[in-house]
Amino acid sequence: MSNMLHTCLHHSGRSVTLVGEQERKMLKEVVKHAKTPLKTRVIPQEVIGKYRDKIAKLELDVKEIEWTEQEEKEMRATENQINKANNLLENPGDQHKRDWFQTHKQRMQEQADLRLGEFSLSKKRNMKKEKKVVTAEDR
C-alpha cells in the first residue's frame, strides 16, 4: 500500500495533495478533469512512517504546551481574585464606588435634558436643596 503525492502546477502557484489508497479513485477523476498537466509521485512507506512518528511526538508536545498554558491562565485568574480581595481588605471604603444606578428611562431623560441645554435630574435636585436660582446665563 503506497501513498501518492499529487502536485498541481498553476500560473499563480502550486498545490500539493496527499492521497492514500482509499482516495485513488477520486484522484483519477481529478487527473482526468484537470486543465493543466499534473505530476504524480509515489511516497515510500519508510518516509511516511518517519513523518508519522515525528507528528506523533509533536502532538504530545503540543498537548503539554496547551496544558501548561491552561494552568497559567487559571493561575492568573486566581491571582486576580486574590488581588481584588486584598484591595477590598486594604481599602474597605472603596467597595461601593457607585451608590446608585440610573434606569434606562432616567438615562434617556438626562440625555434629552442635556440636549435641551438643561441640567440633569440629579443636578436639579442638588440645586433645589441649595435653593439657588439658575439663570439662563448659568446654564
Side-chain angles (χ1 to χ4, degrees), residues 6-137:
H6 175 71
T7 306
C8 181
L9 299 172
H10 294 286
H11 294 291
S12 62
R14 179 179 300 209
S15 71
V16 176
T17 306
L18 294 173
V19 180
E21 288 296 323
Q22 294 152 344
E23 294 90 13
R24 183 181 280 262
K25 186 176 180 180
M26 182 178 62
L27 175 64
K28 285 183 179 182
E29 286 295 315
V30 169
V31 170
K32 186 170 140 180
H33 292 84
K35 295 179 181 175
T36 59
L38 307 175
K39 293 182 183 179
T40 302
R41 294 185 179 88
V42 176
I43 302 172
Q45 278 297 330
E46 311 83 59
V47 174
I48 293 171
K50 176 182 158 186
Y51 284 101
R52 186 183 309 126
D53 294 343
K54 280 186 177 184
I55 290 171
K57 184 188 179 311
L58 290 175
E59 285 176 338
L60 294 175
D61 292 344
V62 168
K63 286 188 186 297
E64 186 175 326
I65 290 168
E66 287 175 338
W67 184 76
T68 303
E69 287 177 347
Q70 182 62 33
E71 274 188 336
E72 290 173 356
K73 180 181 175 184
E74 290 172 5
M75 285 177 56
R76 282 192 304 271
T78 303
E79 286 173 358
N80 285 340
Q81 290 176 344
I82 290 170
N83 290 336
K84 284 180 184 178
N86 283 337
N87 285 339
L88 288 174
L89 290 172
E90 291 171 6
N91 307 312
D94 291 346
Q95 293 178 38
H96 303 288
K97 291 181 182 177
R98 291 175 64 178
D99 291 333
W100 61 274
F101 296 91
Q102 287 181 315
T103 64
H104 178 71
K105 184 177 178 181
Q106 290 170 329
R107 179 68 184 138
M108 297 306 288
Q109 181 61 46
E110 182 179 40
Q111 287 176 353
D113 291 346
L114 289 173
R115 281 193 296 271
L116 295 172
E118 298 175 9
F119 290 100
S120 68
L121 295 173
S122 61
K123 288 183 181 178
K124 284 182 184 177
R125 278 188 226 119
N126 289 340
M127 290 194 170
K128 283 181 184 176
K129 289 178 187 175
E130 295 173 8
K131 306 268 183 190
K132 182 178 177 184
V133 177
V134 180
T135 64
E137 193 173 64

